[in-house]
């Protein structure tokens, strides 16, 4: 079987396809985390109401922190893939085009970022993320604290959970500002 030479362009396009497939998978996974969070919140609230045990609400903060952190990490990787395609892979492919051709690679990667409403969409998304992953578990903690019969250990646990939720909230805001 004759050996076929693989060009640099073919390798770069294969890499592009691979990172875009990863980005697509991460987008689907990230977006489903919001639905999972809503389902978990509804289940915990329903179970808490049925059992009339406000201490069950202490399950929400750790679950929301784990899901929120996973959401945030995936969102950052999705953005990093976009930056890599725009700033590294695209210019390498463009350099392979004949000089003076005016060829730009992967225009969508930059074009969709120029939308005038992008900034407001990012702000709204940050509010949604903060609500789903931080405000809801903090509200659960407030209900637990207002109930007042948690005991010392449960109250200490709830304080640690509040710190974890606040830490996640600061990361959500930090990543939103960086974007």
């Amino acid at each position: 079987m004759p050996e076929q030479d693989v060009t640099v362009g073919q390798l770069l396009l294969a890499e592009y396809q691979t990172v875009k497939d990863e980005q697509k998978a991460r987008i689907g996974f990230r977006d489903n985390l919001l639905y999972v969070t809503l389902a978990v919140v509804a289940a915990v609230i329903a179970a808490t109401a049925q059992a009339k045990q406000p201490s069950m609400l202490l399950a929400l903060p750790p679950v929301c922190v784990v899901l929120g952190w996973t959401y945030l990490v995936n969102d950052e990787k999705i953005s990093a893939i976009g930056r890599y395609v725009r700033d590294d892979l695209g210019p390498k492919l463009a350099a392979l085009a004949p000089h003076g051709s005016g060829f730009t690679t992967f225009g969508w990667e930059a074009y969709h970022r120029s939308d005038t409403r992008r900034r407001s969409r990012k702000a709204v998304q940050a509010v949604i993320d903060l609500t789903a992953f931080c405000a809801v578990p903090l509200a659960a903690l407030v209900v637990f604290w207002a109930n007042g019969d948690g005991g010392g250990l449960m109250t200490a646990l709830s304080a640690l959970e509040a710190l974890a939720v606040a830490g996640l909230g600061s990361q959500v805001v930090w990543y939103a500002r960086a974007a």
Side-chain angles (χ1 to χ4, degrees):
M1 181 173 235
E3 216 174 282
Q4 291 184 340
D5 290 336
V6 177
T7 67
V8 171
Q10 289 170 325
L11 288 172
L12 291 172
L13 287 173
E15 182 180 13
Y16 170 75
Q17 188 61 53
T18 300
V19 296
K20 289 306 280 186
D21 287 346
E22 178 182 346
Q23 187 181 48
K24 183 170 57 171
R26 284 183 178 276
I27 288 168
F29 181 73
R30 176 204 60 193
D31 292 352
N32 283 329
L33 285 171
L34 277 171
Y35 303 125
V36 169
T37 302
L38 290 173
V40 167
V41 166
V44 169
I45 290 172
T48 300
Q50 187 176 16
K52 295 182 174 120
Q53 292 292 322
S55 62
M56 291 175 69
L57 292 172
L58 294 182
L60 279 180
V63 169
C64 288
V65 166
V66 168
L67 291 172
W69 180 252
T70 305
Y71 177 94
L72 195 60
V73 167
N74 272 281
D75 190 59
E76 192 282 325
K77 294 300 179 213
I78 291 162
S79 296
I81 290 169
R83 278 191 311 276
Y84 176 70
V85 168
R86 277 190 315 278
D87 300 342
D88 192 28
L89 205 51
K92 285 179 183 175
L93 267 171
L96 296 175
H99 293 294
S101 67
F103 179 69
T104 56
T105 54
F106 312 127
W108 175 250
E109 296 291 338
Y111 179 79
H112 78 91
R113 298 175 58 82
S114 65
D115 179 10
T116 57
R117 294 181 302 218
R118 182 174 189 274
R119 194 175 194 96
S120 64
R121 276 196 321 275
K122 287 289 193 180
V124 168
Q125 187 63 53
V127 169
I128 290 168
D129 297 347
L130 285 168
T131 301
F133 300 118
C134 300
V136 169
L138 286 176
L141 289 170
V142 167
V143 169
F144 170 76
W145 292 328
N147 189 52
D149 62 352
L153 185 59
M154 296 298 264
T155 301
L157 175 64
S158 69
L160 289 174
E161 290 180 345
L163 290 173
V165 171
L168 175 63
S170 71
Q171 291 297 302
V172 169
V173 170
W174 188 82
Y175 277 105
R177 294 182 89 194

